Amino acid sequence: MFSTSAVFVGDGSLLIECAQAYRHAGHAVLAVASHSQAIVDWAARQGIEAIRLQAGAPPELGALEFDYLFGIAHLHVLPASVIARARKLAINFHDAPLPRYAGLNAPSWALMAQEPAHGITWHEMTAAVDAGRIIKQVHFDTDAGESALSLNTKCYEAALASFQAIVQDLGRGQLPLTGQRGTRSYFGAHKRPALLATLDFSQPAQTLQALVRALDFGAYPNALACPKIYLGSQVQ
């Protein structure tokens, strides 16, 4: 059994679940850096160094020395100087199969494209966004009527299960990496659906349904777009 150390950077409950799995396997979480005060408070209660991230600023890691850096739901590109701090590897979670759906809001874009399957990827962090070697990748079917909310839930579950497998690999001192293969597409932070998600009723009903479902985040914030109807003098 090999014991390793790590720093976790990001937001959302998945970060907490993964950090707990890492610790339960006998590894050490040295610090957690997050924009979320709830996550910072959680880390502090666990006796972990807690770092509150400032908007647009990289984490201040001081003199910390650690083996792995994990980026989980961290929507900002970490500078090369931070990535290089990991003695062994910096690893990022991506909520889509790579290289086909690199960038942000990938589950929604996949639903708009009416993909029959989706997936998640744990990959090596590099200077190029979502371009590093793959550590774990999981694929699963998309169901009829799938929404952004339900597909993100599937991504969450697959991410945690596959992270637990990564933790076991680390304990054995084995972490296989494979290069990305296939056609790459990238969805930037400012990319939006056509017509800012205004429904075009010349399109097939199936296409419109896919757009509406892709923008249905349930009670969670929707940072992409809301479907709209143009009534000639107003948009609703």
Side-chain angles (χ1 to χ4, degrees), residues 9 44 82 116 182 222:
V9 180
V82 174
N222 177 353

Side-chain angles (χ1 to χ4, degrees), residues 119-131:
I120 60 95
T121 308
W122 291 94
H123 66 93
E124 172 189 27
M125 283 191 217
T126 63
V129 176
D130 296 338

Side-chain angles (χ1 to χ4, degrees), residues 175-200:
L175 195 65
L177 292 93
T178 58
Q180 296 188 23
R181 296 181 179 179
T183 303
R184 175 181 168 89
S185 59
Y186 180 80
F187 299 85
H190 301 295
K191 184 174 177 60
R192 295 293 182 267
L195 304 175
L196 292 178
T198 302
L199 300 182
D200 178 359

Side-chain angles (χ1 to χ4, degrees), residues 23 29-30 42-50:
R23 296 180 85 195
V29 178
L30 300 186
W42 171 83
R45 290 195 300 270
Q46 306 302 311
I48 300 169
E49 182 174 346

Side-chain angles (χ1 to χ4, degrees), residues 4-9 22 30-31 33 49 51 53 58-70 78-91 124-127:
T4 66
S5 60
V7 169
F8 284 72
V9 180
Y22 190 79
L30 300 186
E49 182 174 346
I51 302 167
L53 291 173
E60 296 290 341
L61 300 179
L64 278 175
E65 295 184 357
F66 50 93
D67 297 316
Y68 293 96
L69 174 66
F70 291 102
L78 290 173
S81 58
V82 174
I83 294 174
R85 293 286 301 275
R87 288 182 297 211
K88 294 186 177 180
L89 197 66
I91 300 172
E124 172 189 27
M125 283 191 217
T126 63

Side-chain angles (χ1 to χ4, degrees), residues 97 100-101 110-111 114-119 138-143 151:
R100 184 167 174 80
Y101 278 94
L111 287 174
Q114 301 180 57
E115 296 282 4
H118 194 60
V138 178
H139 295 88
F140 43 81
D141 292 338
T142 53
D143 297 328
L151 190 54

